[in-house]
């Protein structure tokens, strides 16, 4: 009798817990699980290509409420710079903004966009990648890297930023200068083409490297020089404008193929809004940055741009990289207006 009573009480307790749980769940919770979007980027919080992810998240929360759980990880806190594509291919990461240099490691044809003085300006960059050239190359990226590119973005125009004052007119003036580059052979080659001694270092270590003198300089777009505070530990900016740099908002094919057509359209639209936010702010910023750095005590110089352009272009055209550029691609890029 006592035994039966206990069983009855236990059953009631279980039933009570189940009812309580069901009533606290949102309607439809059983029907839908949120798609987790883990994002990893080395970008610092104050840079436009870090803030853009919040623009994407906010738009998705409005257009596809309850469907995505967007998790933004900045400062390379989730994956090291340059390891994001492999993490996406393995299914450990859903989204990132990957560079032409990351892509060129696996899709050598893409190294044409790692070459200095190929893309002319942000408008040219967006037209090239949002047109047939982008379509062709992004298809290769999807096939070979298991990654879908949702939108190109303008990272900015890379400039030289030196620890000490130096008269830099031509690439010969950079001889022996330890110029920090991200750690892959494609990046190091760019440093070499500029005439410097390239030194590999992850983005997160650049500030300290400049401060302590393990490197003599670094190259990045001006908005990044400000947001990562490199101006605090350098004395000179030399406006070589050697690379109009694009990065690419990308999603793993594993996640992409699991989405409905409607979700794909919404995610793509949100990525494009993020790209527009980044590009608009960065372009405006770049126009007014020189005055800012001067006010911070930096010397800003302009080198002999023809000398840099000629030397860098010749170095690339004579390199192993150019041998795998698709036939006619350089002409098609140059002809894109
Ligand atoms: C850098 O390490 O210099 C670089 O500019 C390379 C880019 O491809 C990109 O990874 C960027 O850093 C980071 O997003 C930090 O701004």
């Amino acid at each position: 009798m006592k035994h039966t009573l206990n069983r009855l009480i236990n059953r009631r307790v279980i039933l009570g817990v189940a009812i309580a749980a069901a009533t606290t769940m949102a309607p439809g919770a059983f029907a839908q699980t949120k798609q987790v979007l883990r994002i990893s980027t080395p970008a610092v919080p104050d840079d436009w290509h870090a803030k853009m992810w919040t623009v994407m998240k906010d738009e998705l929360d409005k257009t596809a409420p309850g469907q995505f759980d967007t998790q933004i990880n900045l400062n390379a806190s989730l994956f090291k710079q340059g390891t994001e594509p492999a993490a996406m291919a393995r299914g450990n990461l859903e989204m990132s903004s990957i560079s032409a240099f990351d892509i060129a490691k696996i899709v050598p044809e893409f190294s044409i966009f790692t070459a200095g003085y190929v893309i002319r300006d942000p408008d040219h960059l967006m037209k090239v990648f949002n047109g047939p050239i982008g379509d062709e190359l992004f298809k290769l990226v999807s096939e070979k890297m298991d990654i879908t590119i949702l939108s190109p973005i303008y990272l900015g125009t890379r400039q030289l930023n030196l620890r000490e004052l130096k008269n830099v007119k031509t690439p010969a003036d950079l001889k022996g200068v330890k110029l920090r580059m991200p750690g892959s052979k494609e990046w190091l080659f760019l440093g070499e083409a500029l005439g410097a001694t390239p030194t590999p270092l992850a983005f997160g270590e650049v500030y300290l490297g400049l401060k302590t003198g393990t490197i003599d300089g670094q190259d990045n777009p001006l908005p990044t020089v400000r947001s990562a505070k490199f101006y605090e530990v350098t004395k000179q900016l030399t406006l070589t404008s050697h690379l109009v740099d694009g990065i690419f908002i990308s999603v793993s094919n594993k996640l992409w193929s699991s989405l409905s057509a409607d979700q794909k359209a919404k995610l793509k639209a949100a990525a494009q809004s993020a790209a527009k936010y980044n590009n608009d702010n960065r372009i405006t910023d770049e126009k007014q940055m020189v005055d800012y750095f001067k006010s911070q005590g930096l010397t800003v110089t302009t080198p002999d741009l023809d000398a840099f352009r000629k030397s860098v272009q010749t170095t690339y055209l004579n390199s192993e990289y150019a041998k795998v550029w698709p036939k006619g691609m350089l002409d098609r890029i140059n002809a894109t207006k």
Side-chain angles (χ1 to χ4, degrees):
M1 177 68 179
K2 197 172 162 208
H3 193 63
T4 322
L5 196 65
N6 275 348
R7 271 221 314 247
L8 201 66
I9 291 169
N10 280 347
R11 235 187 263 162
R12 282 205 181 144
V13 170
I14 291 166
L15 197 67
V17 169
I19 290 169
T23 50
T24 55
M25 276 185 199
F30 287 115
Q32 200 173 61
T33 47
K34 280 190 181 186
Q35 299 280 2
V36 175
L37 296 181
R38 287 167 296 184
I39 297 164
S40 183
T41 167
V44 292
D46 204 27
D47 212 336
W48 299 114
H49 67 304
K51 294 182 187 172
M52 74 171 183
W53 291 113
T54 306
V55 172
M56 189 189 89
K57 176 180 166 27
D58 290 350
E59 179 168 323
L60 268 184
D61 287 347
K62 277 198 203 110
T63 57
Q67 294 181 43
F68 292 96
D69 173 10
T70 311
Q71 303 172 4
I72 305 167
N73 301 279
L74 306 177
N75 294 316
S77 57
L78 196 57
F79 285 98
K80 277 198 210 149
Q81 182 181 33
T83 63
E84 303 91 347
M88 281 196 277
R90 279 199 310 270
N92 295 338
L93 180 69
E94 283 73 40
M95 292 190 82
S96 187
S97 49
I98 62 176
S99 70
F101 297 79
D102 295 328
I103 298 173
K105 282 189 213 167
I106 316 229
V107 183
E109 294 87 337
F110 220 89
S111 67
I112 198 163
F113 299 109
T114 67
Y117 302 106
V118 167
I119 296 290
R120 295 187 294 268
D121 53 44
D123 184 53
H124 186 213
L125 177 95
M126 295 307 279
K127 283 197 177 125
V128 166
F129 287 116
N130 283 331
I133 295 176
D135 291 346
E136 283 163 40
L137 291 175
F138 295 166
K139 190 163 170 282
L140 275 184
V141 171
S142 175
E143 287 162 7
K144 292 195 178 175
M145 297 178 75
D146 235 350
I147 283 171
T148 293
I149 293 178
L150 299 183
S151 179
I153 75 162
Y154 173 55
L155 183 67
T157 300
R158 298 183 84 91
Q159 314 287 3
L160 279 185
N161 180 207
L162 302 176
R163 212 176 159 258
E164 297 295 344
L165 296 179
K166 190 167 174 61
N167 187 10
V168 179
K169 285 287 170 219
T170 71
D173 298 321
L174 289 175
K175 196 170 172 5
V177 169
K178 279 184 275 163
L179 181 66
R180 172 273 168 180
M181 304 301 289
S184 76
K185 73 174 177 35
E186 290 78 9
W187 276 110
L188 297 178
F189 190 74
L190 177 62
E192 223 175 285
L194 287 165
T197 303
T199 308
L201 204 61
F203 183 79
E205 290 162 34
V206 176
Y207 185 94
L208 201 62
L210 289 168
K211 194 172 174 165
T212 57
T214 52
I215 48 173
D216 300 322
Q218 67 93 29
D219 84 307
N220 252 297
L222 297 184
T224 300
V225 174
R226 187 190 53 189
S227 56
K229 300 198 168 20
F230 296 150
Y231 66 89
E232 290 180 352
V233 283
T234 53
K235 295 202 175 111
Q236 181 169 318
L237 276 164
T238 295
L239 304 177
T240 42
S241 301
H242 53 274
L243 185 72
V244 175
D245 203 1
I247 54 175
F248 304 89
I249 299 183
S250 310
V251 58
S252 73
N253 279 353
K254 184 166 178 235
L255 186 272
W256 188 243
S257 59
S258 76
L259 300 180
S260 67
D262 182 60
Q263 286 175 321
K264 281 183 181 166
K266 285 173 176 160
L267 182 55
K268 186 159 180 147
Q272 285 167 338
S273 301
K276 184 172 172 3
Y277 165 87
N278 166 83
N279 292 5
D280 289 351
N281 283 298
R282 196 173 288 279
I283 291 166
T284 309
D285 236 15
E286 278 188 326
K287 288 190 188 133
Q288 59 209 22
M289 285 268 94
V290 166
D291 286 341
Y292 173 75
F293 291 120
K294 283 185 179 162
S295 79
Q296 296 299 309
L298 270 79
T299 299
V300 183
T301 67
T302 305
D304 178 346
L305 286 177
D306 283 342
F308 266 97
R309 187 175 301 110
K310 219 181 261 165
S311 170
V312 170
Q313 285 180 343
T314 310
T315 307
Y316 270 95
L317 285 172
N318 292 332
S319 73
E320 288 300 305
Y321 294 105
K323 291 194 179 136
V324 294
W325 293 351
K327 215 169 172 320
M329 182 62 86
L330 193 54
D331 292 337
R332 287 174 65 201
I333 295 171
N334 288 338
T336 304
K337 295 263 152 54

